[in-house]
Amino acid sequence: MCALMGCGASPVPAPPVPARAEPSSTAFVDAGAPPSAKAALPSPAYQGLGVESIAPEVLAKYRPLPLPPDVSRRIQALFDLRGPGVGRLAPDGKALYFGWAVTGVPQIWKVDGPLRFPTQLTGGEDVTRLESMTPDGKFLVVSRDRKGEENPGLYLQPAEGGPLVVIQHEKGSRALFQYVSSDARYVYFVSNDKKSDAYAIYRYDVGKRERETVLTQDGLWNVVDGKDDGRLLLRKETGSLTAEVFEWKAGELTPLMGQGEKEEYDVAYGAKEGEILVLTNKLGEFRRLYSWTAGKLSPIGDDIKFDVASFQIDRRRTRILYQINENGFTRLAALDAKTEKATPLPKVEGADHLRAGPTTPDGRYTTLGVDDGRHPQQAYVIDWKTKAITPWHRPSTPEVDTTAFARAQAETYPARDGIQIPVLVRTPARARSSPCQVVVAFHGGPEAQAIPGFSMSAQAFVGAGFVFVEPNVRGSDGYGKSWIHADDGPKRLEVITDIEDAAKWAKKRFACDGKEPKVGIYGGSYGGYSVLMGMTMFAGAYDAGVDVVGISSLSTFLKNTAPYRRILRISEYGDPERDKDALVKLSPMTYLDRMKAPLLILQGATDPRVPAGEAIQIHEALEQKGIASPLMIFADEGHGAQKRENQVLMLGHAVAFFEKYLR
């Protein structure tokens, strides 16, 4: 009998993956690597990041290749399945503004009533996102990035549409929205325009069209909330998760919490004078919501053995909404902000995720995102006065029966030390007599989480006949403080084997009649790093791999990533000097002499997080060894793909590569 009852569609003929011309080598190996690795890997290392760091002839050589027509048709059909973002209501509740990528690039749209035809407000080739709306309803606050550089600018746009007014957009620096004052006078934002590794705080006078400086002290600052008397609640990031909290007023900073600690703090002003709402796991294994007054934390809400993922409070401080991460499923709860007692929510049945969007300034309306696992997310609006819940837009699913899509099922697999690792499994619907090939997909972060719900990319693999498996290895979010910190710095050496153990489990779990399936490994960002480790350090565990914007050497990555990110990543991966030996042991480049299976590498040229040099150096080293490792670099994309045509190419080539090498 098969261990898997539903095994998938008939195999699809695999498209060829063209070979590349033999490149010259610029591969890198960390000092202290094993002698065999040193011998295989010449130097020097690459330097820099962004498209300027890549020679034009290299971009031309590794330009993306077209997809075979049959693969393109399948992937294009999935990209027609789309739903607008949850969005934000106008203060009077009569219009909804939201993001939508229906044109192929995310832009901002407006709909003047439930289920009415939308109007497009922004356009062009650059990704544009809705950040906020002034409380008087007159202006949208808009961010716009260029070619995936992650150096967005900030703009105002009249609520009825029209030209964008620049707040700040400077080449090579970021302008990130933070907060709008209740009187709609000031837009607060941060930027690293003064120092590449620090955020200064600015405020923009909407009426005068003038910018002024609020704070230039070194640090990665965020404005998280404000008061009508001019006070600001500030959060200063000290690590990938940790922060210190301050209050600012009239140029004076007052430390409140986190100083001298390495703890998580997300905060907002509460309903009572002197009260701050705090989300932290300082006092327990799981993140919980607290009321902080005069230095004392008092828990509010239910005491549950799951993380509170996030929370919000409206401007009038009438209601607290918080989201609970229940084994990856999102549950929503509400509290009266003054009494801190539970408030009933309208019932929504059958949702994998129930997410709260923004609340109008008067506290009456809240947008709500509902994900049932088989359709793109749909937006509803709660009217807290009437208790009515109304759909405002519906997802599009042309020519596809999404009710047949595979929903994620929660399982676990055993690590070699006996720990059970959470894993999500999506299986094809149609049974076959031979084993279903498996694709094991690792999420990014690493402080992130694979979650259930609608996933177009997951369905692309399932529709091609693969079992799609998503582990939440140690270091993932959502399973408590010990779990997320299990891989910090050199501790990653103790749990990196979770990657190999996933392959061992998959081969047994999805075997049919004693025959094990082939297993591929897939992932982006830290997930791409996991792919490279699975293919090198654990060579033989996986039969093929697809790496999207992954790290090939932790040392070169930390040296070349954007300065504002380096500070946060060191807290996760380790210090380049103090933890040098561990970084070498944890780098895929160290183990290239073990690798034999084929690997596809996909990379954005303008990526400020994982420089393109990470992809180029491992590709060139593998080419020297004769290992199939086609590389495609997207000149107009950064950390992944934003434009539809590039998203289709990235996902399509991944599916096609596994169809070729796993069947």
Side-chain angles (χ1 to χ4, degrees):
M1 293 294 292
C2 293
L4 173 69
M5 296 304 294
C7 289
S10 300
V12 179
V17 179
R20 298 289 189 182
E22 186 72 13
S24 60
S25 174
T26 58
F28 169 79
V29 63
D30 296 282
S36 59
K38 282 186 176 180
L41 304 176
S43 57
Y46 75 91
Q47 290 186 347
L49 77 165
V51 70
E52 295 85 0
S53 69
I54 309 172
E57 59 270 23
V58 174
L59 282 177
K61 178 179 181 180
Y62 297 122
R63 67 187 182 279
L65 301 173
L67 285 168
D70 64 317
V71 178
S72 181
R73 281 192 296 271
R74 282 186 279 145
I75 303 301
Q76 291 282 5
L78 288 173
F79 274 87
D80 285 333
L81 308 176
R82 49 200 168 198
V86 173
R88 112 178 8 248
L89 273 179
D92 61 7
K94 294 181 178 179
L96 181 72
Y97 298 84
F98 53 88
W100 201 10
V102 68
T103 63
V105 178
Q107 298 294 346
I108 299 172
W109 296 69
K110 173 189 178 185
V111 61
D112 292 314
L115 304 179
R116 294 191 180 183
F117 196 82
T119 300
Q120 186 174 351
L121 298 183
T122 64
E125 65 175 4
D126 292 321
V127 173
T128 307
R129 302 190 189 281
L130 176 62
E131 297 291 345
S132 189
M133 189 174 197
T134 56
D136 59 7
K138 293 182 178 179
F139 293 98
L140 307 179
V141 184
V142 174
S143 70
R144 173 168 281 174
D145 193 19
R146 300 185 181 114
K147 300 184 184 299
E149 295 173 339
E150 294 187 26
N151 289 319
L154 206 59
Y155 301 80
L156 288 179
Q157 184 182 37
E160 66 272 13
L164 303 187
V165 176
V166 180
I167 295 176
Q168 181 167 307
H169 198 171
E170 298 179 2
K171 183 175 175 59
S173 67
R174 323 177 85 209
L176 307 177
F177 168 76
Q178 303 290 290
Y179 173 74
V180 183
S181 60
S182 294
D183 60 6
R185 180 179 178 183
Y186 294 117
V187 174
Y188 289 86
F189 67 97
V190 298
S191 178
N192 61 341
D193 56 344
K194 293 185 180 295
K195 291 188 67 176
S196 59
D197 61 352
Y199 289 145
I201 301 175
Y202 299 96
R203 68 181 182 189
Y204 177 80
D205 190 308
V206 174
K208 295 179 179 179
R209 299 290 196 262
E210 294 176 354
R211 184 194 78 172
E212 58 182 311
T213 303
V214 174
L215 182 69
T216 58
Q217 189 179 119
D218 282 358
L220 297 174
W221 294 94
N222 295 284
V223 181
V224 294
D225 204 356
K227 287 279 195 177
D228 292 344
D229 61 6
R231 282 180 287 167
L232 297 175
L233 199 54
L234 307 184
R235 185 176 182 271
K236 180 183 177 182
E237 297 179 61
T238 59
S240 59
L241 296 169
T242 60
E244 299 173 355
V245 179
F246 298 80
E247 187 173 62
W248 178 95
K249 185 176 182 181
E252 296 294 325
L253 272 179
T254 302
L256 299 181
M257 63 190 80
Q259 288 72 30
E261 302 177 345
K262 286 292 183 180
E263 298 288 350
E264 296 183 31
Y265 292 105
D266 290 314
V267 294
Y269 284 118
K272 306 163 191 171
E273 183 56 39
E275 179 189 36
I276 294 174
L277 301 176
V278 181
L279 178 60
T280 183
N281 56 12
K282 178 181 178 178
L283 303 184
E285 181 64 24
F286 297 97
R287 297 185 187 105
R288 190 171 180 187
L289 199 56
Y290 296 86
S291 171
W292 180 94
T293 306
K296 182 181 179 182
L297 289 170
S298 301
I300 60 175
D302 293 335
D303 183 11
I304 52 177
K305 302 305 178 186
F306 299 106
D307 277 331
V308 174
S310 61
F311 77 98
Q312 61 168 274
I313 183 170
D314 57 87
R315 284 184 182 269
R316 291 200 175 177
R317 317 290 167 183
T318 58
R319 189 178 304 102
I320 301 166
L321 297 174
Y322 63 99
Q323 295 175 150
I324 300 163
N325 183 338
E326 191 174 308
N327 293 323
F329 295 85
T330 306
R331 309 300 182 222
L332 188 62
L335 300 172
D336 181 287
K338 294 181 176 61
T339 66
E340 295 169 354
K341 301 297 184 183
T343 297
L345 279 163
K347 288 188 178 180
V348 179
E349 302 293 342
D352 285 354
H353 303 286
L354 194 59
R355 303 181 175 106
T359 297
T360 52
D362 62 1
R364 177 168 177 177
Y365 301 102
T366 300
T367 54
L368 193 67
V370 179
D371 181 343
D372 66 2
R374 289 202 169 104
H375 301 86
Q377 183 173 252
Q378 185 173 350
Y380 290 77
V381 170
I382 298 175
D383 183 335
W384 294 99
K385 183 178 180 179
T386 66
K387 307 302 182 186
I389 178 169
T390 305
W392 270 67
H393 59 58
R394 297 192 186 282
S396 300
T397 58
E399 300 186 23
V400 178
D401 178 14
T402 61
T403 61
F405 279 8
R407 295 184 73 178
Q409 303 298 317
E411 299 188 27
T412 62
Y413 69 87
R416 61 196 61 189
D417 60 2
I419 296 294
Q420 291 295 312
I421 309 297
V423 60
L424 297 174
V425 178
R426 291 178 173 89
T427 59
R430 286 184 288 170
R432 290 176 31 224
S433 58
S434 59
C436 273
Q437 289 76 24
V438 182
V439 172
V440 181
F442 288 88
H443 63 69
E447 323 91 323
Q449 182 182 16
I451 60 174
F454 178 79
S455 171
M456 184 192 57
S457 59
Q459 297 302 333
F461 291 101
V462 175
F466 298 109
V467 179
F468 194 71
V469 170
E470 297 176 282
N472 279 310
V473 296
R474 282 170 280 193
S476 301
D477 203 356
Y479 301 94
K481 183 163 57 177
S482 300
W483 195 267
I484 198 170
H485 290 297
D487 67 341
D488 288 357
K491 290 195 295 183
R492 183 169 275 102
L493 286 165
E494 302 170 15
V495 299
I496 197 73
T497 49
D498 290 355
I499 296 172
E500 184 180 30
D501 292 339
K504 292 179 177 179
W505 165 80
K507 289 177 180 179
K508 294 179 180 178
R509 166 70 176 83
F510 302 108
C512 280
D513 299 325
K515 184 178 180 182
E516 293 184 346
K518 288 186 175 181
V519 178
I521 182 171
Y522 172 74
S525 192
Y526 183 80
Y529 163 81
S530 300
V531 169
L532 297 179
M533 288 297 281
M535 297 291 287
T536 58
M537 186 178 190
F538 304 116
Y542 294 94
D543 300 290
V546 177
D547 155 40
V548 184
V549 298
I551 302 166
S552 59
S553 164
L554 290 175
S555 298
T556 53
F557 160 73
L558 289 172
K559 179 181 178 181
N560 290 286
T561 191
Y564 67 89
R565 289 192 56 79
R566 185 177 301 118
I567 297 169
L568 306 180
R569 295 298 89 196
I570 284 174
S571 70
E572 176 64 37
Y573 296 121
D575 184 89
E577 294 302 322
R578 184 181 64 249
D579 302 315
K580 185 176 182 179
D581 290 345
L583 293 177
V584 172
K585 293 176 182 177
L586 287 164
S587 290
M589 292 293 290
T590 303
Y591 305 100
L592 293 189
D593 58 333
R594 302 180 183 181
M595 184 171 160
K596 297 180 177 61
L599 171 71
L600 172 64
I601 305 170
L602 304 171
Q603 178 68 47
T606 68
D607 193 339
R609 305 190 191 195
V610 179
E614 292 295 310
I616 294 170
Q617 68 181 359
I618 193 168
H619 164 75
E620 292 185 344
L622 290 173
E623 286 288 292
Q624 280 198 329
K625 289 173 57 63
I627 302 295
S629 61
L631 167 65
M632 299 183 198
I633 300 178
F634 293 75
D636 58 345
E637 296 285 7
H639 198 61
Q642 296 287 343
K643 299 177 180 178
R644 171 171 169 149
E645 62 268 28
N646 292 333
Q647 291 178 328
V648 169
L649 286 172
M650 278 195 178
L651 183 56
H653 278 297
V655 172
F657 194 79
F658 286 130
E659 288 180 327
K660 177 177 182 179
Y661 287 105
L662 297 185
R663 296 232 163 99

